[in-house]
Amino acid sequence: MSTHGPLSLRAPSSRLAALGLPALAPRRLAYLALLVAAPLLPHLNSNAFFFPAVSNGWVCLPFCALLLLALIDLRAPGRRLHLDLLALVALSASLACWRAWWEWPMLLAFGLLLYLAARMLAIARTPDAEAASRRGEAAHTAGAASAPEAPRGALLPRSWLLLGIAVLAVVHVSWALSGTAQVDVGESGVQGAQRIADGHPLYGRVASEARVDRHLDTYGPVDYEAYLPFVGLAGGGYDAARLTTLFFDLLTALLLFVLGRRVRGPTCGVVLAYCWLAFPFTLYCDALGLNDPILAAALVGTLLAAASPLRRGAAAALAVWVKFSPLALLPLLATHGAGGSARRRVLRFGLAFALASALVFVPALLHGSLATFASRSFGFQTGRPPFVSIWSVLIQRFSASAPSIVTASRVAHGVLAALTGALAIALPRLRRRTDVVGLAAACAALMIALELCLSYYAFSYVLWFAPLVLVALILDAFPPERAVGAPDASRSNGSGDFGDARDLGRRAGVVRGLRALGGQTA
């Protein structure tokens, strides 16, 4: 019996199997369908009666699905990465349900934040990361194809993810430029930039505000300076706020791409940028013209500058003086690194931080004082009443019926704040990963812990830690793109920071070339 017939029948299916089409065809069809639907979905809009409630909150779900399709493999449901990503996108459910039920979504968000903080601490505290990396590489070279481990990396081709980035970027532009919502956050940025341009005091009331003080000068000077180019471009209207939000949103995606490409290779960079643009909270900020993407871009820039104490200190100053929450990261950032003198690293970091801070405060101090800045920013923030947080939920829900619960919640609030402060001081001294994954995870844990302590909360604050969580999760799970025999790009170099995947690839190519010249098979 001839074997040509069965072989000819099996050949097409074997070629399809080699391409992964039978397993991935439903995923790709769903992906294409969601990409087609994404530009047609209605925008998230703020509820005029109770911010941050939104209308059309259900549109978060398709974007969550777009993010998960690239990374979640249903053939390996037990991976921790899957649960971590589900916890991150599940925060969108709290936002989507806020209009109908405002208590339970906040409780859900509190639980998810606790989980993410614990997971980030676990990743940051992973012992002997290099040994674990070596064990994984040994298993791969010994025949990982026979091992029942889940595939690592993206589950969609890079070209498909690039298509997704293009479509999602168009969606972001559309949501930002055609938005109708106007909130005080964007208005404050435009007003502050206009004050700088007109030579008026940045902090404190001006003559036109003698009768009413809306207190729109509560952020750091970098926040208002970030709006300056767009106020000059679009004038003093709310369009300048929308352009600012859109610019820093797309800039964060670009910085994530650069970071992922440097650490793991171009595919990982594409995955990070894609996940950021698909994350529903980035679209939420675009729709409302909020300023949180400015802080997100500054934090990712700090990760990119992590190798140098001077650059890290300057980048940290920009992040701190957008909003003040990154102050909790200063002990960690100042001591980051391995090798050399820890005291020298801290001194260089502190010098760069002080110089950069002095520069960004020039517009604020030309027509004002540090005392006015402190009272209008720190003084106002610390005196705000509880609102839209787990603590405000407990106070409003049980103040009349169960005062003991309110008292217990206040005690728990104080204990949690003390633990967060202790964590910010102790974390730099604990044994942890010194690569960019460890730094991102540790920073994310601190930012989430800080948000758990806030009495005044908004869902846009998710962007304070979301890029850090994405970096920690994806870089921790993503294999480096390199040739067999090349060093692992995920290992830290002598300075305690990440290596460059491009350099590793070039060195591997040189080795193969030398072997070929010597008559060996590459």
Side-chain angles (χ1 to χ4, degrees):
M1 182 182 293
S2 172
T3 60
H4 292 291
L7 284 177
S8 63
L9 290 174
R10 286 198 299 266
S13 61
S14 63
R15 287 196 297 269
L16 289 175
L19 293 174
L21 290 180
L24 296 180
R27 180 187 303 271
R28 297 184 183 187
L29 288 175
Y31 176 76
L32 289 176
L34 288 171
L35 281 186
V36 171
L40 308 177
L41 293 172
H43 298 182
L44 285 169
N45 291 310
S46 65
N47 184 289
F49 301 102
F50 194 54
F51 178 81
V54 296
S55 57
N56 301 324
W58 61 270
V59 302
C60 293
L61 299 179
F63 293 103
C64 290
L66 277 171
L67 190 155
L68 296 176
L69 278 174
L71 294 170
I72 287 190
D73 186 1
L74 297 179
R75 296 169 296 177
R79 295 184 69 193
R80 276 197 296 261
L81 172 66
H82 295 170
L83 186 58
D84 298 341
L85 289 172
L86 286 172
L88 182 62
V89 300
L91 290 167
S92 304
S94 297
L95 178 66
C97 297
W98 188 266
R99 187 176 185 179
W101 312 283
W102 72 279
E103 294 179 351
W104 296 111
M106 197 66 250
L107 293 172
L108 171 64
F110 190 84
L112 293 171
L113 291 176
L114 279 175
Y115 171 81
L116 288 172
R119 283 292 298 135
M120 291 298 102
L121 282 176
I123 293 176
R125 294 275 291 131
T126 301
D128 198 6
E130 293 189 9
S133 177
R134 286 195 295 271
R135 288 194 297 270
E137 184 177 351
H140 177 75
T141 56
S146 61
E149 295 182 359
R152 302 172 72 197
L155 297 176
L156 290 169
R158 187 167 69 190
S159 58
W160 288 54
L161 294 177
L162 287 172
L163 173 63
I165 288 175
V167 173
L168 290 171
V170 171
V171 172
H172 278 261
V173 172
S174 172
W175 281 42
L177 299 186
S178 62
T180 58
Q182 296 188 19
V183 296
D184 57 353
V185 175
E187 186 181 348
S188 70
V190 173
Q191 176 181 290
Q194 195 67 56
R195 285 188 178 189
I196 296 174
D198 295 340
H200 294 153
L202 180 55
Y203 295 96
R205 291 184 297 178
V206 295
S208 60
E209 299 173 347
R211 294 183 178 180
V212 58
D213 182 8
R214 300 185 60 196
H215 213 120
L216 300 181
D217 52 352
T218 184
Y219 302 112
V222 174
D223 176 78
Y224 304 108
E225 291 160 6
Y227 284 81
L228 270 172
F230 306 98
V231 168
L233 181 65
Y238 206 82
D239 287 341
R242 296 190 180 96
L243 287 174
T244 305
T245 303
L246 175 64
F247 174 81
F248 283 97
D249 196 8
L250 299 180
L251 177 62
T252 304
L254 177 61
L255 294 176
L256 286 170
F257 167 76
V258 173
L259 179 63
R261 183 176 185 271
R262 179 182 296 179
V263 181
R264 293 290 188 268
T267 300
C268 183
V270 169
V271 171
L272 278 173
Y274 168 82
C275 289
W276 176 256
L277 293 176
F279 191 49
F281 285 94
T282 60
L283 290 159
Y284 172 65
C285 288
D286 281 342
L288 301 185
L290 304 177
N291 59 3
D292 299 279
I294 304 174
L295 179 57
L299 290 172
V300 179
T302 303
L303 292 181
L304 277 168
S308 166
L310 289 174
R311 293 195 297 269
R312 192 168 66 245
L318 295 179
V320 164
W321 302 124
V322 176
K323 294 191 172 183
F324 309 117
S325 53
L327 283 168
L329 306 181
L330 291 185
L332 181 65
L333 293 173
T335 57
H336 174 69
S341 171
R343 179 176 297 179
R344 184 179 179 184
R345 287 198 305 271
V346 172
L347 289 176
R348 297 178 69 188
F349 175 91
L351 177 63
F353 181 88
L355 290 176
S357 299
L359 288 175
V360 301
F361 265 91
V362 169
L365 299 180
L366 281 176
H367 306 283
S369 66
L370 282 176
T372 303
F373 158 75
S375 65
R376 301 290 292 185
S377 55
F378 289 103
F380 175 74
Q381 295 287 0
T382 55
R384 300 177 89 173
F387 178 72
V388 192
S389 68
I390 183 64
W391 314 110
S392 66
V393 167
L394 293 173
I395 291 174
Q396 296 181 33
R397 180 69 175 82
F398 297 106
S399 59
S401 59
S404 60
I405 295 180
V406 176
T407 302
S409 71
R410 287 172 176 163
V411 173
H413 191 184
V415 171
L416 184 59
L419 290 176
T420 300
L423 180 65
I425 296 172
L427 193 56
R429 295 173 171 81
L430 298 178
R431 184 185 177 191
R432 59 182 178 81
R433 295 176 64 165
T434 56
D435 60 356
V436 71
V437 176
L439 180 62
C443 290
L446 281 174
M447 294 297 285
I448 295 172
L450 180 66
E451 290 195 14
L452 289 170
C453 299
L454 294 179
S455 298
Y456 188 100
Y457 191 76
F459 279 108
S460 61
Y461 296 174
V462 171
L463 294 197
W464 296 5
F465 63 82
L468 305 174
V469 171
L470 288 174
V471 167
L473 293 179
I474 293 175
L475 293 189
D476 189 51
F478 213 95
E481 297 179 47
R482 54 184 177 84
V484 175
D488 192 344
S490 66
R491 301 179 191 171
S492 58
N493 57 24
S495 65
D497 298 296
F498 48 82
D500 194 321
R502 293 171 296 175
D503 293 338
L504 295 174
R506 285 194 291 268
R507 280 179 276 176
V510 171
V511 171
R512 290 196 301 271
L514 291 175
R515 288 178 178 175
L517 289 176
Q520 301 179 15
T521 302

